[in-house]
Amino acid sequence: APCGERWAELLLCADASLAKQIWIRMSNNACIATGFCGGPTDAAACAALTDSEAADELVRQLRRIYGCGDELRWVQCIKVDWGTDVWAGCGAYSSPAVGACGVWRELRKTGAKRLLLAGEAVHPRGSTVCSALESGEWAADMFLSRLGLECEAR
């Protein structure tokens, strides 16, 4: 298959040079790849890289996995350190206890007229970066619709 024809949503990379987990999703014919560097060793290695260096390494990793060449490139990148991000505090990862998935998903409905909850915990699919992003888009769309506005195309 040509490079990128069939992207997996989640890649687990045991021998990765950078990201041990990569989440991929499509948006407006663009591929959004999110690499996760967890634990103190991986976080320190990622912190030592500039945004561009981290993006270059993530693209090299995807090229190796999918057998791609220079046609796979990054256009824009953002590197976030959850440990120093003021919005994430000391980290930001959630996972429901066994049997609690349905309860967490109900959070999205609770108080939906006044309080919009977003994040992987309230997405129907559960704990992935893509779920967190999609639930954020859902909350933004709901907020805008309540103001009588429409979201610009993504």
Side-chain angles (χ1 to χ4, degrees):
C3 178
E5 185 176 295
R6 295 187 52 144
W7 296 107
E9 180 177 306
L10 172 62
L11 300 170
L12 301 175
C13 312
D15 62 347
S17 55
L18 180 65
K20 300 291 190 260
Q21 298 174 24
I22 303 172
W23 288 272
I24 299 174
R25 70 186 194 109
M26 297 301 293
S27 179
N28 285 345
N29 294 322
C31 175
I32 300 172
T34 304
F36 178 70
C37 302
T41 303
D42 291 346
C46 188
L49 301 174
T50 66
D51 289 9
S52 296
E53 290 169 337
D56 287 342
E57 187 54 42
L58 188 61
V59 167
R60 276 193 292 277
Q61 193 172 333
L62 288 169
R63 285 176 179 161
R64 285 191 304 271
I65 292 167
Y66 286 104
C68 299
D70 290 340
E71 73 273 17
L72 181 63
R73 59 186 174 77
W74 64 270
V75 176
Q76 183 178 13
C77 69
I78 300 169
K79 187 176 79 161
V80 177
D81 179 350
W82 285 350
T84 60
D85 185 278
V86 296
W87 297 105
C90 296
Y93 199 84
S94 64
S95 182
V98 174
C101 287
V103 174
W104 283 44
R105 291 179 192 134
E106 289 299 313
L107 288 173
R108 185 170 167 163
K109 298 176 190 171
T110 306
K113 299 260 188 233
R114 295 180 183 250
L115 177 65
L116 297 170
L117 297 173
E120 67 216 36
V122 299
H123 191 280
R125 194 173 51 243
S127 297
T128 70
V129 169
C130 292
S131 297
L133 294 170
E134 290 168 9
S135 73
E137 291 173 348
W138 170 84
D141 289 344
M142 293 295 291
F143 179 75
L144 291 173
S145 71
R146 290 184 185 150
L147 295 176
L149 303 171
E150 288 188 30
C151 182
E152 295 179 17
R154 288 181 181 79

